[in-house]
């Protein structure tokens, strides 16, 4: 059977590998000239930068992809542990680290609030229960029918899953800074802590279970090793191939995928297809006549995640005292979050995430200075689209905050600084409204309410990636490939697994 996978983001790569292991012939079509989607590599002034993800949680999800082919991930790429996981820098000058050990974590919380430190273990226990239900039970569940979701409602209710994460933290912590530290995780997948369900508290338990890692050489090195793994096992990758249509037969099944490639149209016949771009892109490519009623409603009513501004820069000197991952929190919290998610202007006091890869990975050091990126959550383009005029001013704002709070003298130490904003996400990655993380992780957009992993009316067209269940972030999108694997196994029972065919070949050659 021949499968076409659209896009080469982490979800698409995981899907392509899983389909190949099931025994399908796989072609990957990517619109960009290079792979990775949000996790691609930017080459700036002779230096390679990770464009997007920098934090690896749930490392076993990547190990599994190599194991599908009898290989070990560690033989291809090393994961380096981050310690601290993150440093939180507050506007009042205080700091707290999120760290790998529970005892050290209590000591860190104690610096801000000894009383809250006593409640940390209870908070962690609750997070673990959220993880067991929200990720282990539901993460790779198939939510194409509403009954599959309804059966989980009592459990979620019992765990307080209908509350928001911000409110949930108040049950355990009274210090506002501690609450911020344990409720900002939804921001990492495009959600507002004030409105995202407390189920996202599971992220903390996931971090505690699997640690926080950095792929040696950067996340883009991991992407390149996943592609090399696929190529070793026969997956064909086609870059600069933007999918423009999908042909369906009279029974409603996809029979071919058409892509634009350097002014020509390329047609690839297929038995099944997986869409790893934004689901809204697929829905408009298909046209409303091929959508079910619920799909049409979802398409019209869905809420986007926020936008992102990311500045990649080099300094003349190094800043050895900075942690790998620092979150620079603004004095405002609720007001700033409202500005990001509902506001129509750029915030004057953004919170920032600073990435300093050389802190963990010596291979990322440069001789004549240091490489960084800094990220600010901003409104998506549906709420604010004045970047043409405001981008230079916003860059100055971001540099000034870093200079005042973390990196003295930064403006005179800069060698270069180049930024992307929501226009890049819209134009280069085809993300509607320039959303940084596809659609928002709201309860009303989770499980059955999220875009489904298979089209209602096109039974051999599957969806992976941040816009579908279980959601954004590397663990989410790589897990979406597991949902698809299960569906395809059921839908195409006669296909022989790839590994079985290798052993058949081996057995034949011995005979
Ligand atoms: C700046 C930033 C930092 C982040 N940091 C982290 C982090 O530290 N840890 C973490 O876990 N997550 C992080 N994330 C989130 C994570 O990167 C994403 O959730 C994940 O990479 C998205 O993967 P995806 O499979 O949805 O595909 P995407 O990466 O969104 O890629 C989709 C691909 O599909 C292609 N495509 C779309 N339409 C078509 C078409 N018609 N034809 C052909 N190709 C098409 C696009 O060109 C794109 O390459 C970060 C994201 C960003 C932007």
């Amino acid at each position: 059977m021949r499968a076409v996978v659209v896009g080469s983001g982490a979800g698409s790569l995981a899907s392509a590998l899983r389909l190949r292991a099931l025994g399908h012939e796989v072609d990957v079509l990517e619109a960009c000239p290079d792979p990775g989607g949000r996790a691609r590599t930017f080459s700036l002034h002779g230096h390679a930068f990770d464009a997007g993800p920098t934090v690896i949680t749930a490392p076993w999800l990547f190990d599994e992809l190599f194991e599908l082919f009898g290989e070990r991930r560690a033989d291809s790429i090393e994961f380096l542990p981050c310690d601290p996981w993150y440093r939180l820098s507050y506007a009042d000058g205080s700091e707290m680290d999120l760290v790998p050990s529970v005892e050290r974590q209590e000591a860190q919380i104690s610096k801000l609030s000894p009383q809250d430190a006593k409640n940390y273990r209870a908070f962690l226990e609750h997070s673990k229960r959220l993880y067991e239900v929200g990720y282990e039970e539901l993460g790779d569940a198939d939510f194409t029918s509403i009954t599959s979701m309804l059966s989980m409602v009592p459990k979620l209710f019992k765990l307080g899953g209908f509350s928001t994460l911000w409110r949930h933290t108040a049950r355990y912590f009274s210090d506002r800074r501690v609450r911020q530290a344990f409720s900002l995780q939804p921001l990492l997948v495009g959600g507002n802590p004030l409105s995202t369900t407390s189920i996202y508290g599971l992220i903390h338990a996931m971090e505690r279970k699997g640690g926080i890692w950095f792929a040696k050489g950067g996340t883009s090195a991991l992407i390149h090793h996943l592609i090399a793994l696929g190529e070793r096992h026969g997956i064909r990758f086609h870059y600069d191939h933007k999918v423009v249509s999908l042909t369906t037969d009279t029974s409603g099944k996809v029979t071919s995928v058409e892509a634009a490639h350097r002014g020509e149209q390329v047609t690839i016949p297929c038995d099944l297809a997986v869409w790893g771009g934004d689901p809204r892109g697929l829905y408009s490519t298909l046209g409303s006549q091929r959508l079910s009623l619920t799909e049409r409603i979802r398409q019209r009513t869905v809420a986007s995640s926020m936008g992102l501004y990311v500045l990649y820069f080099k300094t003349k000197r190094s800043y050895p005292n900075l942690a790998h991952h620092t979150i620079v929190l603004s004095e405002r919290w609720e007001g700033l979050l409202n500005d990001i998610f509902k506001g129509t202007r750029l915030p004057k006091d953004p919170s920032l995430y600073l990435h300093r890869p050389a802190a963990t990975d010596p291979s990322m050091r440069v001789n004549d200075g240091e490489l960084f990126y800094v990220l600010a959550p901003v409104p998506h383009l549906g709420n604010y689209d004045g970047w043409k005029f405001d981008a230079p001013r916003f860059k100055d704002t971001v540099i000034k905050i870093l200079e005042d709070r973390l990196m003295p003298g930064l403006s005179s130490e800069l060698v270069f600084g180049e930024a992307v904003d929501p226009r890049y996400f819209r134009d280069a990655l085809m993300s509607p409204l320039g959303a940084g993380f596809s659609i928002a992780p709201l309860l009303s957009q989770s499980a059955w309410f999220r875009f489904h992993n298979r089209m209602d009316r096109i039974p051999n067209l599957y969806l992976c990636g941040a816009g579908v269940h279980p959601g954004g972030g590397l663990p989410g999108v790589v897990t979406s490939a597991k949902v698809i694997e299960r569906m395809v196994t059921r839908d195409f029972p006669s296909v022989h697994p790839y590994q079985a065919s290798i052993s058949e070949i081996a057995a034949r050659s011995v005979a």
Side-chain angles (χ1 to χ4, degrees), residues 166 176 180 183-184 193-194 329 331-337:
W166 179 239
R176 181 180 175 73
Q180 285 174 317
S183 64
L184 55 76
L194 303 180
L329 285 152
E331 193 163 0
R332 289 191 308 141
W333 177 245
E334 288 93 338
L336 179 59
L337 289 169

Side-chain angles (χ1 to χ4, degrees), residues 223-293:
I223 294 293
H224 287 282
H225 281 290
L226 291 173
I227 286 165
L229 173 68
E231 283 174 342
R232 278 199 292 285
H233 296 282
I235 298 177
R236 293 174 291 262
F237 292 89
H238 312 267
Y239 303 110
D240 217 341
H241 278 66
K242 179 179 176 183
V243 171
V244 288
S245 60
L246 295 98
T247 301
T248 42
D249 64 13
T250 48
S251 70
K253 288 190 174 162
V254 176
T255 53
S256 67
V257 174
E258 293 79 36
H261 175 61
R262 297 186 187 147
E264 310 233 321
Q265 179 160 309
V266 179
T267 299
I268 305 194
C270 62
D271 300 289
L272 67 133
V274 177
W275 182 274
D278 197 285
R280 291 165 287 184
L282 172 62
Y283 279 31
S284 37
T285 304
L286 289 172
S288 58
Q289 69 284 3
R290 287 192 279 183
L291 305 180
S292 69
L293 179 63

Side-chain angles (χ1 to χ4, degrees), residues 7 11 30-31 37-38 52-55 241 243 275 308 373 375 425 465-466 473-474:
E30 167 57 56
R38 284 164 167 87
T54 57
V55 174
H241 278 66
V243 171
W275 182 274
L308 294 174
Y373 93 42
L375 172 157
F425 291 87
L474 293 175

Side-chain angles (χ1 to χ4, degrees), residues 96 104-118 178:
M96 179 170 87
R104 280 174 60 206
Q105 191 60 67
E106 287 171 325
Q108 284 292 321
I109 299 172
S110 205
K111 287 195 311 186
L112 303 183
S113 163
Q115 181 53 42
D116 285 354
K118 291 188 193 135
V178 180

Side-chain angles (χ1 to χ4, degrees), residues 274-349:
V274 177
W275 182 274
D278 197 285
R280 291 165 287 184
L282 172 62
Y283 279 31
S284 37
T285 304
L286 289 172
S288 58
Q289 69 284 3
R290 287 192 279 183
L291 305 180
S292 69
L293 179 63
T294 47
E295 286 170 339
R296 271 180 268 158
I297 294 171
R298 199 169 285 126
Q299 184 189 26
R300 274 198 219 115
T301 54
V302 77
S304 252
S305 72
M306 77 286 198
L308 294 174
Y309 171 90
V310 195
L311 175 68
Y312 308 86
F313 64 97
K314 180 178 178 184
T315 52
K316 288 181 216 155
R317 70 170 173 98
S318 70
Y319 286 84
N321 296 330
L322 292 179
H324 184 158
H325 306 291
T326 306
I327 295 170
V328 185
L329 285 152
S330 162
E331 193 163 0
R332 289 191 308 141
W333 177 245
E334 288 93 338
L336 179 59
L337 289 169
N338 281 329
D339 285 355
I340 293 166
F341 287 91
K342 295 182 192 146
T344 54
R345 278 179 304 183
L346 281 180
K348 291 199 172 66
D349 55 348

Side-chain angles (χ1 to χ4, degrees), residues 55-62 86 203 206-207 210-213 474-475:
V55 174
I56 307 274
T57 22
W60 65 87
L61 291 170
F62 293 100
Y86 309 98
I203 297 178
M206 183 184 263
E207 292 172 339
I212 294 277
W213 304 82
L474 293 175

Side-chain angles (χ1 to χ4, degrees), residues 306-481:
M306 77 286 198
L308 294 174
Y309 171 90
V310 195
L311 175 68
Y312 308 86
F313 64 97
K314 180 178 178 184
T315 52
K316 288 181 216 155
R317 70 170 173 98
S318 70
Y319 286 84
N321 296 330
L322 292 179
H324 184 158
H325 306 291
T326 306
I327 295 170
V328 185
L329 285 152
S330 162
E331 193 163 0
R332 289 191 308 141
W333 177 245
E334 288 93 338
L336 179 59
L337 289 169
N338 281 329
D339 285 355
I340 293 166
F341 287 91
K342 295 182 192 146
T344 54
R345 278 179 304 183
L346 281 180
K348 291 199 172 66
D349 55 348
S351 286
L352 306 174
Y353 156 65
L354 179 70
H355 166 54
R356 178 180 170 247
T360 303
D361 183 354
S363 78
M364 303 295 278
R365 287 187 195 143
V366 291
N367 292 329
D368 53 347
E370 192 150 16
L371 304 175
F372 299 85
Y373 93 42
V374 60
L375 172 157
V378 292
H380 61 60
L381 294 172
N383 289 345
Y384 168 80
D385 191 6
W387 285 100
K388 200 169 159 199
F389 305 103
D390 289 342
R393 207 174 336 134
F394 196 68
K395 178 178 175 181
D396 292 344
T397 303
V398 167
I399 290 172
K400 176 93 175 62
I401 294 171
L402 285 180
E403 188 160 63
D404 291 348
R405 300 271 302 268
L406 284 185
M407 305 176 78
L410 175 60
S411 40
S412 50
E413 294 291 342
L414 270 184
V415 180
F416 64 82
E418 297 202 16
V420 296
D421 58 52
R423 292 172 298 175
Y424 156 76
F425 291 87
R426 177 192 62 196
D427 302 338
L429 299 177
M430 284 164 281
S431 180
L433 304 177
F437 300 88
S438 188
I439 66 167
L442 299 166
L443 192 60
S444 56
Q445 298 190 162
S446 298
W448 182 82
F449 293 113
R450 206 166 178 82
F451 285 102
H452 290 178
N453 299 87
R454 180 174 47 209
M455 297 302 293
D456 292 352
R457 288 190 174 170
I458 309 177
N460 62 344
L461 178 51
Y462 307 86
L463 292 85
C464 66
V468 296
H469 175 73
L474 293 175
V477 304
V478 173
T479 301
S480 70

